[in-house]
Amino acid sequence: GLFAVAPGRPATPLAGARFMLRPRFAGAAVAGLERTRLDALRPVVLDPGSRTPRPLGIPSFDARDIAAGERGVAWIAHGCVLFSPLDSTAPAAPPAGPCPRSEATVDSFETTLHGRTVRLQATCVAAPAAGCRGTVRLRRHGIAGRTRFHVAAGRERTITVRVKARIGRLLRERAQHGGHLILRSTTRVADGGPPSKGGVVFLDAVTS
């Protein structure tokens, strides 16, 4: 948490700033990053006398740093430097411009292969009204499977990928001896910047 400190006075907790990360002075206010319900980060400002931080920008998993002054707050997200005046409020959707407008992630949902179907978790952190649209591709010595997804902004949903028969056969052979199988994933999001190639899907069981 943050504390207000003055000469000759005891330190007192700053109401509304308990969960603020990387706090910065912004004139008479305090700016920082705050976690959202999807565990993303968004820039906020705590005005003098207020007990609730006011959002200034869109949530992002990629929020990296923040700077503030009397005129406004700047932060890094989506590979861009963004800025908001102190007297503004967060837009309902990422604004048009040169920066990516959609941010989504696709992660492993469970370790069981259902026949030839893999279940994944798709999360749309921020997007225009149409939501996040993209594709995910699984690889093991070549393409193992792929699918498209569509998720509303600020939501999560389970998606499925049908993999090639060789993946099911290989996992069955390994699972009989306590082994497992790892697939690599690549996620592409429309208007979302460069593809994410670092995903891993761990499988250790298969059902018919």
Side-chain angles (χ1 to χ4, degrees), residues 31-174:
L33 297 174
E34 180 184 63
R35 293 198 182 276
T36 68
R37 56 175 293 271
L38 294 177
D39 206 28
L41 294 174
R42 66 181 177 184
V44 296
V45 61
L46 184 63
D47 298 309
S50 175
R51 301 179 65 88
T52 304
R54 175 166 49 87
L56 291 178
I58 299 297
S60 172
F61 283 141
D62 195 39
R64 298 178 181 272
D65 208 348
I66 185 171
E70 295 183 356
R71 297 180 58 187
V73 177
W75 67 99
I76 298 175
H78 309 293
C80 290
V81 177
L82 307 172
F83 176 82
S84 178
L86 280 181
D87 59 355
S88 65
T89 56
C99 296
R101 300 190 66 202
S102 296
E103 182 178 351
T105 62
V106 177
D107 301 299
S108 184
F109 179 71
E110 60 183 4
T111 63
T112 300
L113 178 66
H114 299 271
R116 290 172 53 187
T117 299
V118 178
R119 295 177 182 173
L120 305 174
Q121 183 81 14
T123 304
C124 181
V125 184
C132 294
R133 298 179 182 273
T135 61
V136 60
R137 182 175 63 185
L138 302 181
R139 309 182 311 278
R140 180 178 172 81
H141 304 308
I143 302 299
R146 70 180 78 193
T147 193
R148 296 180 179 180
F149 63 88
H150 179 207
V151 187
R155 298 298 181 91
E156 300 173 302
R157 62 172 296 193
T158 302
I159 63 174
T160 60
V161 182
R162 184 173 173 81
V163 298
K164 294 185 176 180
R166 63 179 176 86
I167 299 299
R169 291 194 298 267
L170 181 58
L171 179 57
R172 284 185 174 86
E173 294 173 0
R174 294 192 174 188

